[in-house]
Amino acid sequence: MSAARWERPAAVDALEIHEVLARYAHCIDNRDWEQLSRIFTADVKFGGPGHYTRSRDDIPGRIEQVSPYHPHYTTDTVIHSLPVDSEGRKRARSWSKYFIVRHDRTLASGDYLDEWVRTEAGWRILQRRVSRGQRWENDPGGASQRDLGMGDFLAPAS
């Protein structure tokens, strides 16, 4: 499989995508579920391999299962444009790092790989793949391996 060329989005699109990413952290951390429609499409695919939700309405229940819950921060986002979809809508992909600060002052990190679509209401996440990143066996959530990389980010659009 050959990697797609990195196509930078227009600055206005990148700025709006970054704003939606910031809105996500505020919404999830504050349990402001009414804001989910300003972040995700109604049919968003959210989670990780074998653990995806298939609806924006399923996200609150999934987040509420996380215990203890720690606030998180999205950082180091790169974005590239994808070809328009069959409906003529603009699309993009972003890859972001995230980190959490636990109550015991330890940190953990992971990745978000997002597929975006430009709707009439603005940019929305159509799919979010979450990776817990590299975590050791003594991590409170258990061990995990980083499973996202530049190849995933630049993979040809489906």
Side-chain angles (χ1 to χ4, degrees):
M1 171 170 72
S2 63
R5 216 177 99 213
W6 188 344
E7 297 286 341
R8 289 191 176 93
V12 67
D13 292 324
L15 181 63
E16 186 175 340
I17 286 171
H18 277 281
E19 182 179 322
V20 174
L21 287 169
R23 188 180 303 136
Y24 168 80
H26 291 287
C27 171
I28 297 299
D29 289 350
N30 293 306
R31 306 302 198 261
D32 192 359
W33 306 129
E34 295 85 37
Q35 297 299 312
L36 288 176
S37 66
R38 298 183 63 207
I39 301 163
F40 298 105
T41 61
D43 59 346
V44 64
K45 185 178 173 185
F46 178 94
H51 300 91
Y52 284 106
T53 62
R54 299 288 181 171
S55 167
R56 178 175 63 215
D57 295 337
D58 294 336
I59 293 173
R62 182 170 185 154
I63 299 299
E64 294 293 350
Q65 292 177 13
V66 177
S67 179
Y69 185 85
H70 305 286
H72 65 286
Y73 306 87
T74 307
T75 183
D76 302 337
T77 299
V78 289
I79 305 167
H80 82 92
S81 296
L82 298 172
V84 297
D85 69 9
S86 60
E87 299 173 35
R89 299 179 301 180
K90 292 168 77 173
R91 296 184 319 137
R93 181 178 289 139
S94 68
W95 180 25
S96 304
K97 306 292 288 172
Y98 72 86
F99 69 95
I100 61 172
V101 180
R102 296 186 181 118
H103 304 302
D104 66 1
R105 299 183 185 152
T106 60
L107 303 175
S109 68
D111 300 89
Y112 297 133
L113 183 64
D114 296 324
E115 300 282 338
W116 296 82
V117 64
R118 175 89 178 147
T119 70
E120 290 180 10
W123 284 98
R124 298 296 183 265
I125 299 172
L126 181 64
Q127 177 175 317
R128 168 161 278 189
R129 180 175 164 195
V130 180
S131 169
R132 292 183 64 239
Q134 187 76 28
R135 302 202 190 165
W136 304 108
E137 288 181 19
N138 63 347
D139 186 271
S144 61
Q145 297 291 317
R146 187 166 306 286
D147 65 350
L148 289 172
M150 189 58 76
D152 298 293
F153 173 62
L154 292 176
S158 52

